[in-house]
């Protein structure tokens, strides 16, 4: 199975900051990588699919990049409502493994 | 707007079978894949498996032969059964729609239910 490693596991940033979260896979996954946001008490929400495709309705401050084994999720200007845990997910063949999550807090 | 709602017992005894149903509203269950994902309290997400509306399935090997997912297109529902449960199966269980628009794209969960907490305890 493909292993997913996210970094950092947690971070704290200020409103307006540019934030980057990284996901590394144990083998190449081409561009089949998704990003989800989960706020406390809520179901995960799809942000990005296929490494860089912004899901409909997601603010444009979110963007994704990468291919192969290294991927990034970037928030260009952090907003208070972005406080959440972010997960990457491999998405081409089963099992669709998730990363361990990155908890983002607002200073 | 597609909506999903999980239902089932919130408490299951060890060694028994966990049974959950996901009801889809606002859209047809046909022509999509549907998945189950779980999250132990305070931990990360684990993909359990999916089912196509026609009935074909894929499961996470980590759950070995304990899991069965089925679909009832007449009721716009799909279900999860996990047998021989232990305390390690205590989790928030989510159902979700899987989108796979074409052969060049991946598979992603675009609509999720709110989740149902299932506790395994005697």
């Amino acid at each position: 199975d493909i292993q997913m490693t996210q970094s950092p596991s947690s971070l704290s940033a200020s409103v307006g900051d540019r934030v980057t979260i990284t996901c590394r896979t144990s083998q190449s996954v081409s561009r089949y990588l998704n990003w989800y946001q989960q706020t406390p008490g809520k179901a995960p929400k799809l942000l990005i699919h296929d490494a860089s495709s912004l899901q409909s309705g997601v603010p444009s401050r979110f963007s994704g990049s990468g291919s192969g084994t290294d991927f990034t999720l970037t928030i260009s200007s952090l907003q208070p409502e972005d406080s959440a845990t972010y997960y990457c997910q491999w998405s081409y063949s089963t099992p669709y493994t998730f990363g361990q999550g990155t908890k983002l807090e607002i200073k | 707007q597609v909506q999903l709602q999980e239902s089932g017992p919130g408490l299951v005894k060890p060694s028994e079978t966990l049974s959950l149903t996901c009801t889809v509203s606002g859209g047809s269950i046909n022509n999509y894949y549907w998945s189950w994902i779980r999250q132990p309290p305070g931990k990360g997400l684990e993909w359990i498996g999916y089912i196509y509306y026609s009935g074909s399935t894929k499961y996470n090997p980590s759950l070995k032969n304990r899991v069965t997912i089925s679909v009832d297109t007449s009721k716009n529902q799909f279900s999860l059964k996990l047998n021989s449960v232990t305390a390690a199966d205590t989790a928030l269980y989510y159902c979700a729609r899987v989108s796979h628009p074409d052969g060049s794209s991946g598979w992603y969960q675009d609509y999720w239910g709110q989740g149902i907490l299932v506790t395994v305890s005697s």
Side-chain angles (χ1 to χ4, degrees), chain B residues 8-111:
Chain B
L11 181 64
V12 181
K13 290 182 168 56
S15 79
E16 295 189 346
T17 297
L18 178 159
S19 296
L20 297 175
T21 295
C22 182
T23 301
V24 180
S25 59
S28 174
I29 205 166
N30 291 335
N31 300 311
Y32 281 96
Y33 292 80
W34 302 90
S35 64
W36 288 96
I37 294 148
R38 69 180 182 177
Q39 185 173 36
K43 296 188 177 180
L45 300 164
E46 180 182 28
W47 179 81
I48 297 171
Y50 72 51
I51 188 164
Y52 193 43
Y53 79 101
S54 62
S56 61
T57 55
K58 285 278 191 180
Y59 301 130
N60 193 326
S62 68
L63 294 169
K64 298 182 181 178
N65 297 319
R66 297 198 296 131
V67 63
T68 303
I69 300 175
S70 58
V71 64
D72 186 337
T73 55
S74 67
K75 294 182 179 179
N76 238 30
Q77 294 177 334
F78 62 105
S79 299
L80 169 71
K81 289 190 186 298
L82 183 66
N83 57 36
S84 304
V85 296
T86 69
D89 295 310
T90 293
L92 195 54
Y93 284 77
Y94 294 102
C95 58
R97 190 182 81 169
V98 183
S99 281
H100 177 58
D102 54 60
S104 66
S105 73
W107 306 65
Y108 46 90
Q109 281 83 201
D110 56 356
Y111 289 95

Side-chain angles (χ1 to χ4, degrees), chain A residues 44-91:
Chain A
K45 172 187 174 183
L46 178 67
L47 298 176
I48 303 283
H49 62 87
D50 299 310
S52 60
S53 295
L54 191 69
Q55 175 68 358
S56 176
V58 174
S60 59
R61 63 180 181 275
F62 291 94
S63 64
S65 64
S67 65
T69 61
D70 294 294
F71 300 85
T72 58
L73 172 70
T74 299
I75 308 172
S76 60
S77 179
L78 192 65
Q79 299 301 302
E81 60 267 31
D82 300 335
S83 178
T85 300
Y86 294 83
Y87 294 94
C88 60
Q89 182 199 30
W90 144 246
S91 73

